[in-house]
């Protein structure tokens, strides 16, 4: 018997529901933007992620941006709490007025991340705003929000170490002081990040510059000028399952990350990747304790 194969690819076996969450920037205005997406599998596994970044909220709302992101966080936690109890996605009740759940859509996907990316692509323009506005010719500010977030996270449980951030050290006679993101009693670290988009090459250049600053500081330590034991570049990069970016964008970020690791290896310097301010703080504490 001759069996005619289907011209269409076979659908994935895993079934999941996806939903977008919308919020009114001005309560009662009727205007809505997508602030989060959620996915729930047939096995009751779930994931909820915000799709508006801190930088985007600040650009749109100015000083009101952080407050808006706090409300987004509240919405995300509310939905996570319900899904944790095994309640279907479509039965979620928003925790405040001005928040609306979108239509629940069912599909066959490889995993929850695939569903999240699909929902973000179809519902959340702001999750890709950086791709439309980034300018690869513009330098990314060194003193960005990432360093501030790590400093704030350190202040929660170890306020005595906050004074070690943004320290200026003069490495060469007659030269200008170099700012180091963290220099403690035993450990020094530079904090940088790499993000998908048109500015990836700029982030790469900034990370390399910080890496060579650390090497210079370490070399001065060998001469007895600075008595430190550990030197590391702590590099933020999105998680591999971050639905705010496409799989190809994430893959390119990790290619750059590994290229930086290889360059650091030639100089006997370590690069440590993190995905949150809290994990960066924990690594700094480990470096100080070593």
């Amino acid at each position: 018997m001759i069996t005619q194969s289907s011209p269409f690819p076979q659908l994935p076996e895993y079934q999941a529901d996806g939903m977008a969450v919308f919020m009114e920037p001005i309560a009662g205005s009727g205007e809505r933007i997508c602030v989060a997406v959620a996915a729930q599998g047939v096995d009751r596994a779930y994931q909820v992620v915000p799709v508006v970044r801190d930088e985007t909220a600040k650009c749109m709302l100015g000083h009101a941006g952080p407050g808006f992101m706090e409300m987004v966080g509240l919405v995300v936690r509310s939905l996570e709490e319900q899904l944790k109890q095994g309640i279907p996605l479509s039965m979620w009740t928003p925790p405040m007025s001005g928040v609306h759940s979108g239509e629940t859509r069912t599909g066959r996907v490889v995993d929850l991340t695939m569903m999240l990316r699909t929902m973000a692509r179809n519902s959340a323009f702001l999750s890709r705003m950086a791709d439309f506005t980034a300018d690869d010719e513009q330098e990314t500010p060194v003193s960005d929000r990432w360093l501030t977030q790590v400093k704030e996270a350190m202040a929660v449980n170890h306020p005595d170490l906050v004074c070690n951030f943004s320290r200026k050290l003069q490495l060469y006679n007659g030269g200008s002081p170099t700012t180091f993101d963290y220099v403690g009693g035993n450990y020094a670290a530079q904090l940088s990040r790499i993000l998908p988009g048109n500015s990836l090459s700029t982030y790469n250049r900034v990370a390399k510059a910080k890496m060579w600053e650390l090497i210079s500081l370490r070399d001065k330590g060998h001469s007895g000028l600075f008595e430190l034991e550990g030197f590391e570049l702590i590099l933020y990069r999105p998680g591999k399952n971050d639905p705010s970016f496409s799989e190809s964008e994430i893959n390119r970020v990790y290619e750059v990350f590994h290229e930086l690791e290889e360059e650091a290896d030639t100089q006997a310097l370590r690069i440590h990747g993190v995905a949150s301010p809290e994990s960066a703080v924990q690594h700094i504490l480990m470096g100080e304790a070593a």
Side-chain angles (χ1 to χ4, degrees):
M1 179 185 294
I2 299 177
T3 303
Q4 185 175 6
S5 61
S6 171
F8 301 103
Q10 186 175 358
L11 290 173
E13 295 183 359
Y14 189 66
Q15 182 172 310
D17 292 334
M19 186 181 78
V21 179
F22 300 88
M23 181 182 292
E24 298 178 10
I26 302 174
S29 67
E31 181 181 9
R32 300 179 182 183
I33 60 174
C34 181
V35 296
V37 291
Q40 183 182 44
V42 291
D43 54 358
R44 292 305 185 210
Y46 65 89
Q47 191 173 357
V48 185
V49 294
V51 294
V52 180
R53 304 184 190 116
D54 290 341
E55 295 87 348
T56 305
K58 183 178 180 181
C59 178
M60 292 191 305
L61 304 172
H63 294 301
F68 179 78
M69 292 306 295
E70 287 182 8
M71 288 192 292
V72 172
L74 175 62
V75 169
V76 169
R77 290 190 295 273
S78 168
L79 186 47
E80 285 178 331
E81 186 61 32
Q82 172 174 299
L83 297 179
K84 183 178 179 180
Q85 299 172 20
I87 300 174
L89 193 60
S90 59
M91 295 181 64
W92 174 62
T93 301
M96 65 184 80
S97 61
V99 179
H100 309 271
S101 56
E103 180 183 352
T104 302
R105 301 181 183 276
T106 302
R108 294 190 177 274
V109 291
V110 174
D111 52 23
L112 291 179
T113 300
M114 182 177 179
M115 176 58 79
L116 289 169
R117 283 181 173 149
T118 300
M119 296 305 300
R121 182 174 62 248
N122 294 338
S123 306
F125 164 71
L126 291 177
S127 71
R128 301 297 302 272
M129 179 176 280
D131 295 342
F132 305 136
T133 60
D135 184 353
D136 197 36
E137 299 302 318
Q138 293 181 357
E139 288 296 320
T140 303
V142 175
S143 57
D144 56 25
R145 178 64 178 156
W146 167 236
L147 175 59
T148 302
Q149 288 176 323
V150 176
K151 186 176 179 180
E152 291 172 347
M154 180 69 80
V156 173
N157 294 314
H158 299 276
D160 54 310
L161 297 180
V162 172
C163 62
N164 292 335
F165 284 88
S166 301
R167 293 186 61 183
K168 294 182 181 294
L169 300 177
Q170 187 150 356
L171 302 182
Y172 304 98
N173 291 332
S176 300
T178 301
T179 300
F180 290 90
D181 296 327
Y182 182 90
V183 179
N186 299 309
Y187 177 81
Q190 289 286 61
L191 297 162
S192 197
R193 58 179 181 163
I194 47 175
L195 294 172
N198 295 334
S199 290
L200 178 58
S201 60
T202 301
Y203 285 116
N204 188 16
R205 289 196 298 270
V206 172
K208 284 184 177 180
K210 285 176 172 274
M211 180 176 69
W212 284 101
E213 288 169 348
L214 275 173
I215 292 170
S216 297
L217 179 63
R218 184 191 63 190
D219 292 345
K220 285 296 179 180
H222 291 162
S223 65
L225 183 59
F226 300 106
E227 308 241 353
L228 296 168
E229 297 294 330
F231 302 84
E232 285 186 313
L233 175 63
I234 298 178
L235 197 59
Y236 170 86
R237 71 279 189 274
K240 291 185 177 180
N241 293 329
D242 192 322
S244 300
F245 307 103
S246 68
E247 188 172 356
S248 61
E249 289 174 320
I250 293 292
N251 289 341
R252 180 55 188 147
V253 163
Y254 278 81
E255 287 175 5
V256 171
F257 180 80
H258 292 313
E259 289 169 4
L260 288 167
E261 279 188 315
E262 290 177 359
E263 183 170 346
D265 286 342
T266 64
Q267 301 297 323
L269 187 77
R270 178 173 166 78
I271 293 181
H272 183 76
V274 297
S276 70
E278 291 74 20
S279 55
V281 165
Q282 289 303 314
H283 196 72
I284 291 173
L285 295 176
M286 290 174 58
E288 284 283 38

